[in-house]
Amino acid sequence: MSFYLTTAIDYVNSRPHLGTAYEKVTADVIARYKRLTGVETHFVMGNDEHSQNVYKRARDSGEDPLAYCDRMETVFRDVWSRLSVSFDDFIRTTEPRHKAGVQRLVQACRAAGDVYDGVYEGWYCVSCEAFKQEKDLEDGKCAVHLTQPEWIREKNYFFRLSRYQRPLLDYYAAHPEFIQPEVRRNEILRLVEAGLEDISISRAGQSWGIPLPFDGSSVVYVWFDALINYASAVGYGTDDEQFARWWPADLHVIGKDITRFHCVVWPAMLLSAGLGLPKQVFGHGWVHFKGQKMSKSLGTVVDPLDAADRLGADPLRLYLVKEIPYGGDGDFSWERFEERYNVDLANNLGNLVSRITSMAEKYRGLQVAPTALGPGRLAEVATDVLAAYIDAMERFALHEGAFAAFRLVDATNEYIAESAPWALARNPADAERLSQVLYDVAEALRIAAVLLQPVMPSASGEILRRAGETRDVSELRLARDAAWVADVPRTLVKGANLWPRLEPGRPDTTATATTATTETPVPNTPDWKPNAPAPEAPLADRPAESAGIDVPAPHAATTASAQPETALAPGHHQPATMPGSQVPDGERLSIDEFMKVELRVARILTAERVAKSKKLMKLWVDLGYEQRTVVAGIGAAYEPEQLVGRTIVIVANLKPAKLMGIESNGMILAASSDDGRPMLLSVEEGAQPGMKVR
Ligand SMILES: [Zn+2]
């Protein structure tokens, strides 16, 4: 089993921005996942250097173009290294191995009768490095750059792309998985069905590029040149043995704007040259900055190193993978980045690491060992999560994979709350039970860390070390090491807080570029946590009865489906972490505990009754950054048409629960009258979906 994947190679006329980093990070997650499953993986990235923009840029700064490219290679490699991008090879299109591959492939196309010479006359956008047809222009300007294209007339060589319409359509039909996601596939199908024109593949009178093997006065057009890197990087033109070993590529990860080149032009070139076609092309979406396209002129370009410097490379990787559905567009803002850091890492995963190591130290001298009682329910959750994780990752639904891993983290934190190790520790009769609980929690944490390894390689390694894993992370294999181990005692390791919580309301969170050292996370201070609980026993983790709240596992799927009619009746299922008048003095929540509950403004877009239920209403709500289904027990008090358009408050970070077979992703806040009639909470006009409520 082997897997060869690539990303697009980058123009070097500017340093990588967050959108570029998004592509490399997500491809890296796929590469690391494949390695974790034991598949021999070859991951190639590189730089696209034969661009006229690069040439001009270098010349403008009085630099030799190649020296400029050398310098930029260092810049790019530095960024990728700091983001833990683990490519196996890095190709530059000025390398001799690439030149050999390009010349061989162009020659092969010519031998197949697919290259002919003619005169090209038409529009050319220098910034796109692409010829433009009249229909592509807006008011005579490039639709992308809003600049006037040049009218050029020169001798060109053409590639008979028109000849490949039928073979391409046949290939798409025989390999429906070739273009992902589906929306991209449909675009390409429509494009090819409409007919293909031959394309120019050379530029005359230029020196910066790879000369055509049969006409030294022309160089290969930069796009034709660049695509060939995927083959030349694995030996095409220089090392037939290596090429036979890795080709065809298993996956090209690219941006959705260049699917035409990768799904139409590139496979046609390969067909012409008699080479195998890549198995899959994945066109990912854009990362916007606060809803706007990242653009230098708009000042919306985020430097990935600023983000990594601020909170760490792993938190940035987690954000990019988990917050953006892979294949769709997503958004980045400093506020949201910090918020996710606090919620997922400081409060959730980091807190779990601190709690289990502290409890293990306090109660068992850091030794956790299984008992004759056998594993509790966490073992089942871990098994379910592993299956969901593999299913998601195999489909490249990377965000779902990350969510699955966090489902296990959530369940483990809940399990600590439920089983209350600090209470067990007070009773000698519970000693065995305490040992088993500690073992189970450590084991669940260990598995979560294995699952998160592709996304957060450094942090995962550190968590595994603390969870008693003694092998090197590179030796771990998913099937074996993400399975529940019921019988191996481990020695846990204590360490510093992995992700100190950020202070709320820190100034200047919206600024873009700032230097690293001034923006490191601010650790907890006594001011912020006046009643900071001992790490092993936060107040919210006390037994539910003593906190006066009657639902210990309020949104666990099992509870919800067992009681579909009442599970969401307002007033009876607030999470145990919600403050309330029933909480007796001395059992109050810390602000940290309360802040774990993510309350947000939402707008109801549609509402319909759930079949066979008097109370349940299925709502489709807008959270600004996403839309989702929430099932609410408000059907006895409201008609669907009374609900549509209302602005409400929901708990946005509940785990999904199934109610009458429908997955609910959140809970609506409502007051409850004495007779149990729910009354929705409204918010003032002007509140926008997604706004945080606190
Ligand atoms: Zn353009």
Side-chain angles (χ1 to χ4, degrees):
M1 280 281 277
S2 67
F3 194 84
Y4 171 34
L5 81 157
T6 67
T7 65
I9 53 174
D10 298 306
Y11 283 152
V12 292
N13 46 332
S14 58
R15 29 182 309 121
H17 61 70
L18 191 63
T20 326
Y22 175 63
E23 174 172 300
K24 313 312 175 197
V25 164
T26 53
D28 184 64
V29 171
I30 296 171
R32 287 179 185 272
Y33 168 76
K34 289 291 173 186
R35 294 186 198 117
L36 185 61
T37 59
V39 171
E40 194 172 359
T41 301
H42 193 60
F43 174 26
V44 172
M45 298 185 1
N47 282 350
D48 185 357
E49 302 179 328
H50 286 135
S51 150
Q52 285 304 302
N53 289 321
V54 169
Y55 184 74
K56 280 181 188 153
R57 176 84 189 233
R59 276 296 152 94
D60 288 349
S61 58
E63 207 171 351
D64 170 65
L66 196 56
Y68 172 85
C69 291
D70 290 347
R71 195 159 56 76
M72 290 308 283
E73 183 195 12
T74 313
V75 171
F76 275 73
R77 278 181 181 269
D78 176 53
V79 173
W80 304 144
S81 149
R82 288 170 69 188
L83 296 180
S84 308
V85 176
S86 62
F87 52 80
D88 298 294
D89 194 2
F90 193 89
I91 187 163
R92 297 176 49 182
T93 55
T94 49
E95 285 178 61
R97 61 169 170 162
H98 179 65
K99 181 180 172 186
V102 168
Q103 292 195 324
R104 178 155 164 196
L105 196 132
V106 172
Q107 198 67 271
C109 294
R110 187 165 169 86
D114 287 330
V115 174
Y116 62 95
D117 59 333
V119 171
Y120 184 88
E121 193 168 20
W123 297 110
Y124 187 84
C125 173
V126 178
S127 298
C128 289
E129 306 239 17
F131 296 101
K132 298 281 173 178
Q133 294 178 335
E134 206 71 50
K135 65 177 164 62
D136 299 328
L137 302 178
E138 281 178 13
D139 297 331
K141 293 179 175 171
C142 166
V144 180
H145 294 95
L146 307 176
T147 50
Q148 179 79 44
E150 288 175 31
W151 182 264
I152 57 172
R153 182 188 156 81
E154 63 182 33
K155 181 183 177 188
N156 266 194
Y157 289 84
F158 290 84
F159 174 70
R160 250 182 252 283
L161 185 62
S162 56
R163 201 173 139 180
Y164 290 93
Q165 182 191 22
R166 194 68 256 163
L168 286 172
L169 289 173
D170 290 346
Y171 186 76
Y172 305 151
H175 302 274
E177 74 292 347
F178 175 58
I179 308 168
Q180 297 291 323
E182 196 64 21
V183 57
R184 304 277 95 85
R185 172 180 158 79
N186 294 335
E187 287 167 7
I188 292 294
L189 282 179
R190 280 195 298 275
L191 183 101
V192 176
E193 278 162 359
L196 295 172
E197 290 178 23
D198 293 348
I199 53 167
S200 165
I201 61 161
S202 69
R203 297 298 314 275
Q206 292 185 354
S207 57
W208 185 240
I210 297 174
L212 284 175
F214 41 82
D215 181 350
S217 69
S218 291
V219 298
V220 178
Y221 169 54
V222 65
W223 263 105
F224 207 80
D225 164 339
L227 287 165
I228 299 168
N229 93 85
Y230 303 129
S232 65
V234 288
Y236 181 70
T238 51
D239 184 342
D240 290 344
E241 203 178 312
Q242 190 199 20
F243 186 65
R245 172 169 159 68
W246 292 110
W247 197 260
D250 292 274
L251 178 67
H252 294 318
V253 174
I254 54 159
K256 65 180 180 182
D257 57 327
I258 54 175
T259 48
R260 191 173 73 87
F261 288 102
H262 285 80
C263 302
V264 181
V265 178
W266 176 228
M269 290 161 65
L270 291 165
L271 286 170
S272 174
L275 301 174
L277 269 49
K279 291 174 196 156
Q280 211 160 41
V281 177
F282 191 98
H284 64 75
W286 301 141
V287 184
H288 293 125
F289 179 69
K290 295 183 152 193
Q292 286 184 300
K293 198 179 168 193
M294 280 197 201
S295 130
K296 264 190 203 158
S297 51
L298 294 171
T300 50
V301 171
V302 175
D303 188 318
L305 292 189
D306 286 342
D309 285 343
R310 191 174 292 200
L311 298 179
D314 279 338
L316 176 64
R317 289 170 62 106
L318 179 68
Y319 182 97
L320 293 175
V321 171
K322 184 161 170 278
E323 297 308 303
I324 303 172
Y326 202 42
D329 291 342
D331 201 52
F332 178 90
S333 70
W334 294 106
E335 296 88 337
R336 180 105 183 117
F337 182 33
E338 296 187 351
E339 183 187 317
R340 294 317 309 175
Y341 167 95
N342 272 344
V343 172
D344 286 334
L345 297 175
N347 292 349
N348 201 359
L349 181 56
N351 191 33
L352 176 60
V353 174
S354 303
R355 293 167 85 191
I356 179 57
T357 47
S358 299
M359 289 190 293
E361 180 185 44
K362 185 168 176 184
Y363 304 130
R364 291 292 180 269
L366 286 168
Q367 310 292 319
V368 296
T371 70
L373 295 174
R377 70 171 180 85
L378 273 184
E380 264 169 60
V381 177
T383 306
D384 287 352
V385 160
L386 175 60
Y389 173 87
I390 291 173
D391 173 65
M393 298 300 279
E394 291 293 329
R395 289 182 283 118
F396 306 131
L398 309 183
H399 54 296
E400 290 180 34
F403 263 101
F406 269 86
R407 189 146 68 82
L408 182 56
V409 175
D410 290 340
T412 310
N413 270 318
E414 277 168 24
Y415 189 70
I416 295 176
E418 259 169 53
S419 45
W422 46 93
L424 298 175
R426 285 196 290 267
N427 186 354
D430 287 330
E432 192 177 19
R433 168 102 180 108
L434 174 62
S435 292
Q436 187 68 47
V437 166
L438 295 177
Y439 180 83
D440 286 1
V441 169
E443 178 61 11
L445 173 67
R446 186 192 67 77
I447 291 172
V450 174
L451 302 184
L452 285 169
Q453 192 273 335
V455 185
M456 301 199 296
S458 308
S460 161
E462 176 59 16
I463 294 171
L464 283 165
R465 193 181 69 82
R466 294 194 193 180
E469 176 59 62
T470 49
R471 290 167 297 172
D472 189 82
V473 174
S474 63
E475 292 171 40
L476 300 181
R477 291 293 171 262
L478 189 69
R480 181 189 63 211
D481 297 310
W484 189 271
V485 176
D487 55 359
V488 176
R490 296 183 201 271
T491 304
L492 306 195
V493 178
K494 277 210 76 169
N497 191 353
L498 290 171
W499 296 290
R501 205 192 139 78
L502 297 176
E503 298 280 357
R506 293 185 313 133
D508 196 29
T509 53
T510 55
T512 45
T514 38
T515 51
T517 46
T518 58
E519 289 292 335
T520 46
V522 180
N524 292 328
T525 66
D527 287 349
W528 174 237
K529 285 173 67 179
N531 299 312
E536 70 270 29
L539 292 173
D541 293 333
R542 300 278 171 85
E545 310 87 81
S546 72
I549 293 168
D550 62 2
V551 185
H555 46 271
T558 46
T559 312
S561 50
Q563 301 173 295
E565 287 292 329
T566 56
L568 285 187
H572 285 278
H573 59 294
Q574 271 82 359
T577 45
M578 288 285 283
S581 58
Q582 291 171 310
V583 178
D585 282 343
E587 295 285 348
R588 294 192 183 204
L589 301 172
S590 73
I591 189 79
D592 262 2
E593 291 300 321
F594 173 70
M595 292 303 280
K596 283 186 183 175
V597 181
E598 197 182 333
L599 299 173
R600 286 188 182 273
V601 173
R603 186 162 293 139
I604 301 175
L605 299 175
T606 66
E608 57 178 285
R609 291 186 175 282
V610 173
K612 293 180 195 154
S613 168
K614 286 197 187 100
K615 281 186 183 167
L616 293 184
M617 195 82 86
K618 180 181 167 187
L619 310 173
W620 179 244
V621 304
D622 183 14
L623 277 167
Y625 55 94
E626 67 171 52
Q627 297 176 359
R628 51 164 87 164
T629 298
V630 175
V631 180
I634 54 175
Y638 294 93
E639 293 301 325
E641 53 273 22
Q642 291 176 280
L643 295 168
V644 174
R646 279 189 76 148
T647 303
I648 52 163
V649 177
I650 75 166
V651 183
N653 62 340
L654 285 184
K655 295 192 332 181
K658 269 218 170 135
L659 295 151
M660 306 281 282
I662 302 166
E663 190 179 270
S664 178
N665 282 284
M667 188 183 81
I668 295 204
L669 290 196
S672 184
S673 65
D674 287 342
D675 60 358
R677 191 188 138 86
M679 291 181 282
L680 285 178
L681 298 187
S682 297
V683 282
E684 274 205 295
E685 222 174 296
Q688 292 304 310
M691 280 182 174
K692 273 207 86 166
V693 178
R694 53 182 89 183

